[in-house]
Amino acid sequence: MGTSRPAPCPRAGRDARDPGNPVEETGVNAGWNAGSGIWRGQLRARVPTPLTSAPSELRLTARALEPAPGFPAPSRWSCAAESLGLSFSSSDVGLLITVAITRRNVALLLSPTESIYSSSSPALLCTLPNMCRLHPCWSCCCLLLVSSLGVQGVPKDPSAAPEQIHLSYPGEPGSMTVTWTTWVPTRSEVQFGVQLSGPLPLRAQGTLSPFVDGGFLRRKLYIHRVTLRGLLPGIQYVYRCGSSRGWSRRFRFKALKNGPNWSPRLAVFGDLGVDNPKALPRLRRDAQRGMYDAVLHVGDFAYDMDQDNARVGDEFMRLIEPVAASLPYMTCPGNHEERYNFSNYKARFSMPGNNEGLWYSWDLGPAHIISFSTEVYFFLHYGRHLVERQFHWLETDLQKANKNRATRPWIITMGHRPMYCSNADLDDCTWHESKVRKGLFGRLFGLEDLFYKYGVDLQFWAHEHSYERLWPIYNYQVFNGSQAMPYTNPRGPVHIITGSAGCEERLTRFTLFPRPWSAVRVKEYGYTRLHILNGTHLHLQQVSDDQDGKIVDDVWVVRPLLNRMMYL
């Protein structure tokens, strides 16, 4: 169907600092995913010769939510930067559009009734539904991000508007921590209550921490943390975060229940990126249906959070917000977080304990969950003392957990790089004496003996972009409970490798023939569901996104209440 075309924007001129690269032509290839609510596409730029640098591929994302209050829903509006070959139209959304260019930044604030606001380019003009006119000089490398203004309307100061909102459980019953980002220092406040509409009567204040990324631009973010306390177990709360300079839209979460006598449900996965996040749309729908009480993300985020001067980290945190703003999003570090001593990981997430989220533990229903860093074994230039320090912390925590085993019988661990795997690569888990399993130099601070000694029931791993369930195993020996029921009273820990949530590196191949200790292998995108039914029964399912949510693995693990520490 043809559409009228407005007056063209002037072509981009030459950048005085990059005279050889005027942008000449561009093209857009994009599509809408109704299930995820994510509009994604590729924007490509061509520049005439002679080239002083190669043209770059551009990435575009958008999330559509409600119209901003007070704005009429137009029949059609659009804004295009012809010099970048970009156009986007919508029938019902007010949008905040940020164009981040290699050599300069331009912020466009669009609404159906407003003109363009530019934070750094006075030559930028646009009125809706007319097309934008972009006059500044452009370099050909840029990243475009489109995100909704939400129900709060146009913020007074876009840089003070909260974004990247997510929850975590601080380990204290009746509490929840809210974390978000702004681009200027503001107050840190959460308003909350139990009514879906109307005023939010409760208030909580928190802390503000500046974070300077280690990249060339030294970009500064302001990370806000507010812990809500005195929450009633199992009750749904509505909240918004921010300050008088700008508020987030309203989100909902259900406070975790206290004590061991309930049945938590969790989503478990690793290796989720900004590009190719296959599992995210289904995870988002699951979360909206109230299927989970928490999320375990077993390392590797965004690919990578430090990339493009941490803009990829920003994009990832926005991408997971529909899930992470309504469920405690519990994490552990992976190898892709290593840059600048894991600084993006440490700054962006708020985990329990005082170890910057590298290792910690928490209780959930009848389970004690331990998160730790496998990366201390590989990035020794950050200090070998971290290996020993974590190991001793793990042993102390496991001793305490076993003393409390009558109350919380299950001990579950999560770490990024597996001890075992049967993938066709050269990762640590493919070596017989893997570092995670046997420790440094094959003998110092190995984790397999430690976890076996203290009767760890279930071990979650990721790193390999596939799903693999092992038979109960110790030191390469299979210790099934029985031939008929291998996971009933198993005599060794159960290992689950779940790293197929989706990222730019795609899936990992398996070896042609499975190892004797490998029970199930699935090379499909997906994630794991964990249901801790009670102190003796635990249910695991693997969801295949390739097969439209089909359950491709389903197993119960059953262990007795008595003598839980010892594998007999």
Side-chain angles (χ1 to χ4, degrees), residues 480-525:
N480 292 345
S482 67
Q483 186 172 358
M485 294 184 292
Y487 295 95
T488 297
N489 300 327
R491 295 170 294 128
V494 176
H495 293 242
I496 300 290
I497 303 165
T498 176
S500 60
C503 66
E504 63 186 29
E505 295 180 359
R506 304 305 195 249
L507 295 172
T508 308
R509 294 183 299 110
F510 287 108
T511 57
L512 183 60
F513 300 105
R515 303 290 189 251
W517 34 262
S518 179
V520 173
R521 308 191 301 178
V522 180
K523 186 191 169 188
E524 295 176 358
Y525 291 107

Side-chain angles (χ1 to χ4, degrees), residues 52 56 74 91 101 126 176 217 237 264 267 269 279 325 334 363 457 465 471 474 532 564:
T52 60
S56 298
S91 62
I101 297 136
C126 184
M176 192 72 74
L217 297 182
Y237 287 86
F269 56 85
D363 295 328
D457 301 285
H465 301 165
W471 300 117
Y474 171 69
I532 309 170
R564 199 61 173 264

Side-chain angles (χ1 to χ4, degrees), residues 148-191:
S148 169
L149 291 178
V151 299
Q152 76 272 18
V154 178
K156 297 177 183 178
D157 181 357
S159 60
E163 60 173 70
Q164 307 176 36
I165 300 154
H166 55 286
L167 302 177
S168 58
Y169 179 61
E172 176 187 341
S175 65
M176 192 72 74
T177 297
V178 186
T179 305
W180 69 93
T181 297
T182 60
W183 304 100
V184 293
T186 68
R187 289 185 62 196
S188 306
E189 181 174 318
V190 174
Q191 300 177 351

Side-chain angles (χ1 to χ4, degrees), residues 9-12 23-26 80-86 134-136 138:
C9 303
R11 288 289 185 188
V23 176
E24 185 175 74
E25 293 185 36
T26 57
E82 185 170 323
S83 59
L84 289 178
L86 167 68
L134 290 165
H135 294 269
W138 301 92

Side-chain angles (χ1 to χ4, degrees), residues 268-271 296-301 330-337 342 345 357-360 362 369-378 390 393-394 411-421 428-429 436-437 447 451 456 458-464 466 468 494-499:
V268 188
F269 56 85
D271 302 80
L296 304 183
H297 188 142
V298 194
D300 278 7
F301 308 79
M330 310 303 286
T331 63
C332 73
N335 56 297
H336 280 268
E337 285 69 71
F342 299 87
Y345 172 83
L358 296 179
W359 56 84
Y360 62 91
W362 55 298
I369 301 175
I370 301 172
S371 173
F372 64 95
S373 173
T374 57
E375 304 315 298
V376 297
Y377 290 89
F378 297 89
Q390 176 180 253
W393 177 89
L394 283 169
I411 297 179
I412 299 170
T413 63
M414 56 184 276
H416 183 61
R417 301 200 206 201
M419 295 183 190
Y420 301 88
C421 68
D428 181 62
C429 54
V436 176
R437 190 175 79 87
L447 295 180
F451 290 173
V456 172
L458 177 63
Q459 301 177 27
F460 282 114
W461 313 94
H463 193 61
E464 304 302 318
S466 53
E468 186 167 16
V494 176
H495 293 242
I496 300 290
I497 303 165
T498 176

Side-chain angles (χ1 to χ4, degrees), residues 191-266:
Q191 300 177 351
F192 62 108
V194 296
Q195 300 296 327
L196 294 179
S197 59
L200 299 171
L202 304 175
R203 303 284 189 275
Q205 282 76 40
T207 61
L208 168 68
S209 302
F211 167 60
V212 179
D213 174 62
F216 176 75
L217 297 182
R218 310 294 292 179
R219 291 174 69 240
K220 178 180 283 190
L221 295 72
Y222 294 89
I223 310 296
H224 302 256
R225 292 177 173 88
V226 176
T227 297
L228 315 183
R229 292 183 170 87
L231 303 175
L232 299 176
I235 298 299
Q236 179 176 267
Y237 287 86
V238 179
Y239 75 97
R240 69 173 186 170
C241 59
S243 69
S244 59
R245 298 177 63 183
W247 291 98
S248 71
R249 72 179 182 93
R250 295 188 177 204
F251 297 94
R252 290 180 285 179
F253 72 89
K254 185 177 289 187
L256 294 177
K257 296 179 182 179
N258 298 336
N261 298 316
W262 63 289
S263 303
R265 297 176 183 267
L266 301 93

